[in-house]
Amino acid sequence: MKFIADLHIHSHYSIATSRNLVPEHLEHWAGIKGINVVGTGDCTHPGWLKELKEKLEPAGNGFYKLKKKFRLQNVVRPPESNEIYFVLTCEISSIYKKAGKVRKVHNICVLDYFDTAEKFQNRLAKIGNIISDGRPILGLDSKNLLETLLETSENSYLIPAHIWTPWFSVLGSKSGFNTIEECYEDLTKYIFAVETGLSSDPRMNRQCSFLDRFNLVSNSDAHSPEKLGREANLFNTEFSYKGMFNALKTGKGFNGTIEFFPQEGKYHYDGHRQCKVCWNPAETIRNKGICPVCKNEVTKGVMYRVAELSDRNDPDTAPNRKEFRSIIPLNELLAETLNVRNCSSKKVKKEYFEIIEKLGAEFDVLLFADIEKIKNTCGDILAESIKRLRSGKIIIQEGYDGEFGRIKVFEKNELVNSGAALFPFETPDERKKEFAINDFKKEKKSVSLCNKPDHTAAIAKLTDEQEQAILHFEGQCMVLAGPGSGKTRVLTERVAYMVNEKNISQTNILCLTFSNKAAKEMRDRLEDKIPYCKVFISTFHGLGLSILEKYFEKVGRTRNFNLIDEVESREIIAELIKNKKAVTTALRAIRNFKQGLIWQYSSREHEQIFNEYNAKIQYENAFDLDDLIYLPAMLFGNAPEILDEYREKYKWILIDEYQDINARQYELITLLAGKINANIFVIGDPNQSIYGFRGSDIKFIELFKKEYPATGVIRLKNSFRCLII
């Protein structure tokens, strides 16, 4: 059976939504649009789930339907209106830190039964606040959200939402990942569909081959009933929850989508809304991403992000392609033909409902109804506008930075005094503008080539020793330098040289330092030298945290573990020992062992306290600060397959302020670098260690040279600081 489904919507419990987002109005407007199955949205919200249970009943096919007593009366309905069914859905906003970056990802969850929704709701309530917003914001890794959903019901599934939008999506430019696998890791195999979002369409997505294995779905993300069906999905399969589930999972019976023109989406192009700057991605590259009005970085849109990750020039060569049809909402077409600015005006609404009563549901009118029938029933102008829409003869004003675009079918003044000689001329075929990704790639390559002389010029201004350090390529290198000798500059210039001149992949480079402030300074400098810098820049503890976030199970933790501070460590130790005066001594012994200052305990008492303390924080599903180095080092030593994974990932290691390294950090980094063909570059001042309380020791400078006998040692002699006497 053929049917249309819109799975991603919201309820009146979500922020900034219509009060009419209730089952009876959703049922009514789904019929007006021609949708057969509509998502409920927000089913994790206790109030909304209670309302759904009151107003819906099982339909016998895995879907739900509105109880007759709640159905709206005396409203316009299309002729031959079908019964509307509901499926339980929700959208979860996950905000969390992963791989050294704050991630903001929206996910759609589709659930089979009310009982499942209640179980899922109860599990999420233990993690965060699910009451204040219909779309809850949780500090929950997307992978863990998927895991929780699958543990709740094997017949429920997750769809990454509007995957390209800049701020809140799995591939977004502001807080996303570069692949689906980076986000969901080993659970990616349970994801079989991704949502393209209003600002992209399937053809754009096909330019990224890593999306080939996913079905590309589209939904309205409606915040009012009238917005249902802005995008939707086409099925030809068994009309049931199971049938829809299997069609999305296998692709058999999933026929494709109904789409917004992506240019109408509010994040299609780049720019600044307040400054009225709208660019295609090639223009953004030419302007180095900086707004000419306010001099701040522009918001990069969906087209830019697709172009950045694309690896296929011809999307029509992609396998498993599904059909899609792009539409302009009927009320927008009417506003244009009636020369009315507001598509929600009374004049437009009156015309809209008259057409629905005469011709049928909106999708039928826009996509399937005979043009001659439209002409005879509703006039030449509407017939011509729909004819142009179906043939793609449109005029585009792209959306950008939160500003919706506009799609039109008539030229300015074309409808004035048209009379009987309506549309006597042929409409040009070139009206639908498409940005060519090849133009973006050429522009980006051109800019990269232009930047190379600038980098060489920058190196030319350095001292001979600085230049020698920067140009050192493979193998081990140690740079010893005093205050003001440009240590951080040398390191960042070296990374820029590796990326821009030696074509080293940014994702294979690891830069480490010892404070968040130093890491930020390094990151700021590199972003000036490497456009869209993807180098992993972190503190040692940040690196350790990223490892434990991925392999928490290997060290006896579960998802959503906590970090405890020294005060909490003291409290735990105080519970374990009778002599309260010995808490400080016991804490110092534990920290010394984890930092590698001692390698075995001087007393059985301290060893016992160490074991009991670790057992306690493991039971509490927590780590202390020292665990962030100690446990990854243990993990690398005990799990060769994990060590090999990280060695393959980080083939180039650079460490700033190396004089501050301690024994456990040294152990971690030498394990990661290995001894054969290690590409490791360290820079520091042997007279300037500030972390002695954490076990840092300049002996690791000499130990490094013994560990790597082929190390090249470079000394920076000049200081560039001004001395004021």
Side-chain angles (χ1 to χ4, degrees):
M1 176 181 172
K2 291 184 178 180
F3 63 95
I4 298 174
D6 182 358
L7 303 177
H8 182 184
I9 73 160
H10 291 278
S11 75
H12 62 97
Y13 283 95
S14 282
I15 293 173
T17 57
S18 168
R19 294 180 180 179
N20 286 333
L21 275 170
V22 292
E24 50 267 43
H25 282 283
L26 290 170
E27 189 261 0
H28 169 58
W29 275 97
I32 291 288
K33 297 289 183 173
I35 298 166
N36 307 99
V37 179
V38 61
T40 62
D42 298 355
C43 71
T44 55
H45 192 282
W48 181 235
L49 188 59
K50 180 180 178 182
E51 185 173 349
L52 292 174
K53 292 176 74 173
E54 176 191 358
K55 295 180 178 179
L56 303 182
E57 62 185 0
N61 54 5
F63 296 133
Y64 291 87
K65 62 182 180 179
L66 187 69
K67 294 176 181 177
K68 287 185 178 180
K69 67 179 180 179
F70 292 106
R71 199 174 191 210
L72 295 179
Q73 303 298 318
N74 303 318
V75 292
V76 172
R77 294 188 185 275
E80 302 178 7
S81 179
N82 296 320
E83 188 161 18
I84 311 303
Y85 295 85
F86 289 86
V87 62
L88 299 175
T89 63
C90 61
E91 183 183 14
I92 307 294
S93 176
S94 290
I95 301 179
Y96 56 101
K97 191 169 185 179
K98 190 166 188 172
K101 183 178 179 181
V102 175
R103 310 292 181 171
K104 300 178 181 180
V105 181
H106 285 189
N107 293 290
I108 307 162
C109 299
V110 185
L111 302 98
D112 48 4
Y113 299 116
F114 281 137
D115 288 347
T116 302
E118 285 182 336
K119 291 176 184 177
F120 190 51
Q121 185 184 96
N122 291 335
R123 295 191 67 170
L124 295 184
K126 296 177 181 178
I127 296 169
N129 184 351
I130 63 170
I131 298 176
S132 62
D133 191 355
R135 180 185 60 200
I137 300 173
L138 302 175
L140 180 64
D141 189 303
S142 294
K143 176 191 173 183
N144 296 333
L145 173 65
L146 174 55
E147 184 178 25
T148 302
L149 181 65
L150 294 173
E151 288 173 351
T152 305
S153 166
E154 62 181 11
N155 294 319
S156 297
Y157 52 98
L158 181 147
I159 300 174
H162 41 67
I163 60 172
W164 296 105
T165 54
W167 301 99
F168 296 97
S169 69
V170 64
L171 299 175
S173 61
K174 295 292 185 182
S175 58
F177 301 84
N178 289 335
T179 65
I180 305 296
E181 286 76 8
E182 285 181 36
C183 181
Y184 303 96
E185 301 176 24
D186 58 311
L187 296 186
T188 305
K189 60 187 177 183
Y190 295 105
I191 294 176
F192 38 79
V194 296
E195 185 185 59
T196 60
L198 299 181
S199 295
S200 81
D201 63 18
R203 195 167 191 275
M204 289 170 59
N205 284 262
R206 290 176 194 146
Q207 297 185 89
C208 298
S209 64
F210 66 86
L211 294 176
D212 287 349
R213 61 177 291 267
F214 304 103
N215 283 309
L216 303 175
V217 303
S218 296
N219 301 289
S220 65
D221 196 1
H223 286 225
S224 67
E226 297 88 342
K227 296 295 185 182
L228 284 176
R230 289 190 294 186
E231 297 195 331
N233 304 284
L234 302 167
F235 291 90
N236 187 5
T237 186
E238 176 186 295
F239 189 57
S240 66
Y241 181 94
K242 182 180 178 181
M244 188 172 70
F245 177 94
N246 289 334
L248 287 174
K249 190 173 184 179
T250 65
K252 297 177 181 178
F254 174 64
N255 282 8
T257 54
I258 297 170
E259 299 280 336
F260 228 41
F261 282 100
Q263 297 91 341
E264 193 170 0
K266 60 182 179 180
Y267 288 109
H268 183 71
Y269 265 3
D270 313 330
H272 267 171
R273 178 172 46 173
Q274 291 184 341
C275 301
K276 301 189 183 304
V277 172
C278 175
W279 289 334
N280 70 44
E283 292 173 304
T284 302
I285 288 289
R286 284 195 291 273
N287 288 279
K288 299 181 180 179
I290 302 301
C291 173
V293 179
C294 66
K295 308 303 180 184
N296 291 316
E297 186 179 3
V298 298
T299 300
K300 298 182 183 72
V302 167
M303 190 72 250
Y304 186 101
R305 187 65 171 153
V306 172
E308 190 174 38
L309 297 183
S310 68
D311 59 357
R312 180 181 282 134
N313 291 328
D314 184 2
D316 294 327
T317 62
N320 304 319
R321 298 189 307 280
K322 306 290 184 181
E323 70 166 322
F324 71 93
R325 304 181 183 214
S326 298
I327 63 169
I328 301 170
L330 180 57
N331 62 342
E332 292 183 18
L333 274 181
L334 291 172
E336 183 181 0
T337 60
L338 296 170
N339 196 25
V340 175
R341 286 191 176 186
N342 185 0
C343 59
S344 298
S345 69
K346 290 183 179 180
K347 188 175 182 180
V348 170
K349 286 182 178 179
K350 180 177 181 294
E351 189 82 10
Y352 178 90
F353 285 114
E354 286 180 359
I355 292 170
I356 296 299
E357 280 190 303
K358 292 175 182 177
L359 293 176
E362 181 173 344
F363 285 152
D364 291 330
V365 175
L366 294 174
L367 297 173
F368 309 119
D370 181 73
I371 293 294
E372 284 301 312
K373 183 178 180 181
I374 296 174
K375 183 177 180 180
N376 294 333
T377 307
C378 302
D380 290 341
I381 296 179
L382 180 64
E384 177 66 18
S385 66
I386 291 176
K387 182 180 177 181
R388 293 186 182 188
L389 167 63
R390 292 180 186 178
S391 63
K393 296 177 179 178
I394 59 174
I395 303 161
I396 295 172
Q397 180 179 328
E398 291 85 358
Y400 67 101
D401 194 26
E403 182 80 22
F404 278 108
R406 191 170 181 191
I407 310 295
K408 299 171 65 178
V409 292
F410 295 111
E411 298 283 0
K412 187 176 181 181
N413 300 323
E414 191 177 347
L415 295 174
V416 177
N417 299 320
S418 54
L422 189 64
F423 318 118
F425 54 87
E426 281 293 317
T427 312
D429 290 334
E430 303 81 31
R431 308 179 80 185
K432 181 181 176 183
K433 299 185 295 181
E434 285 191 357
F435 167 71
I437 283 183
N438 280 340
D439 293 345
F440 170 84
K441 290 182 175 179
K442 289 177 183 177
E443 196 68 47
K444 194 169 186 181
K445 185 176 180 181
S446 173
V447 170
S448 176
L449 290 171
C450 290
N451 284 339
K452 287 187 176 182
D454 294 335
H455 183 73
T456 306
I459 291 179
K461 298 176 183 178
L462 300 166
T463 66
D464 291 343
E465 293 82 6
Q466 288 175 326
E467 184 175 348
Q468 183 184 355
I470 292 166
L471 299 181
H472 175 90
F473 189 46
E474 296 178 327
Q476 304 91 48
C477 182
M478 174 177 284
V479 178
L480 301 177
S485 55
K487 297 188 293 295
T488 303
R489 181 188 180 193
V490 165
L491 189 142
T492 52
E493 289 285 358
R494 172 173 163 75
V495 173
Y497 169 75
M498 291 165 62
V499 172
N500 295 331
E501 304 293 332
K502 291 295 186 179
N503 296 317
I504 300 298
S505 172
Q506 295 184 45
T507 56
N508 289 146
I509 300 174
L510 171 65
C511 292
L512 293 173
T513 187
F514 293 85
S515 71
N516 290 323
K517 181 179 178 182
K520 183 180 184 303
E521 180 186 357
M522 199 185 302
R523 189 175 297 109
D524 290 343
R525 292 193 187 196
L526 277 176
E527 286 176 349
D528 287 339
K529 301 176 184 299
I530 305 174
Y532 324 111
C533 180
K534 300 174 186 175
V535 175
F536 185 43
I537 305 164
S538 175
T539 63
F540 272 87
H541 290 92
L543 170 64
L545 179 60
S546 71
I547 296 169
L548 295 179
E549 284 176 335
K550 185 172 184 180
Y551 289 108
F552 56 82
E553 291 177 336
K554 296 287 187 181
V555 290
R557 304 310 195 270
T558 62
R559 61 181 181 275
N560 304 318
F561 56 77
N562 299 311
L563 295 178
I564 61 174
D565 57 23
E566 184 175 327
V567 173
E568 292 169 297
S569 293
R570 285 180 177 275
E571 290 174 353
I572 292 171
I573 295 171
E575 294 175 4
L576 299 175
I577 62 177
K578 296 179 180 179
N579 184 1
K580 305 306 178 186
K581 295 181 180 180
V583 170
T584 298
T585 304
L587 176 61
R588 186 181 301 116
I590 291 170
R591 299 197 65 184
N592 285 346
F593 186 86
K594 289 188 176 183
Q595 292 174 2
L597 291 176
I598 56 175
W599 297 96
Q600 62 182 19
Y601 284 104
S602 57
S603 70
R604 289 185 178 179
E605 180 185 2
H606 280 164
E607 184 177 2
Q608 181 180 350
I609 294 171
F610 177 82
N611 292 332
E612 291 177 353
Y613 169 81
N614 280 335
K616 176 67 174 175
I617 62 173
Q618 182 176 338
Y619 175 78
E620 297 289 344
N621 195 31
F623 298 113
D624 63 28
L625 185 65
D626 295 314
D627 282 335
L628 302 186
I629 310 297
Y630 168 65
L631 290 176
M634 297 300 101
L635 193 61
F636 281 175
N638 297 329
E641 70 281 3
I642 296 175
L643 178 58
D644 288 343
E645 174 194 335
Y646 278 88
R647 282 181 176 175
E648 182 65 24
K649 183 175 184 179
Y650 297 126
K651 298 178 180 179
W652 302 82
I653 301 171
L654 301 93
I655 305 174
D656 196 12
E657 305 294 354
Y658 178 76
Q659 74 278 353
D660 290 326
I661 201 167
N662 68 23
R664 201 66 72 182
Q665 292 164 338
Y666 181 84
E667 179 188 10
L668 176 70
I669 208 64
T670 51
L671 279 168
L672 181 56
K675 290 192 177 181
I676 301 174
N677 300 322
N679 292 311
I680 182 167
F681 179 95
V682 302
I683 186 166
D685 180 356
N687 299 315
Q688 207 179 15
S689 178
I690 63 171
Y691 289 117
F693 65 94
R694 291 183 186 168
S696 64
D697 195 324
I698 61 171
K699 73 179 182 183
F700 294 111
I701 290 178
E702 294 303 319
L703 192 57
F704 184 91
K705 288 188 279 187
K706 290 180 181 178
E707 190 94 34
Y708 301 105
T711 297
V713 179
I714 300 170
R715 297 180 184 275
L716 304 185
K717 302 172 184 176
N718 296 339
S719 175
F720 299 95
R721 289 184 182 169
C722 295
L723 299 179
I724 301 176
I725 302 177

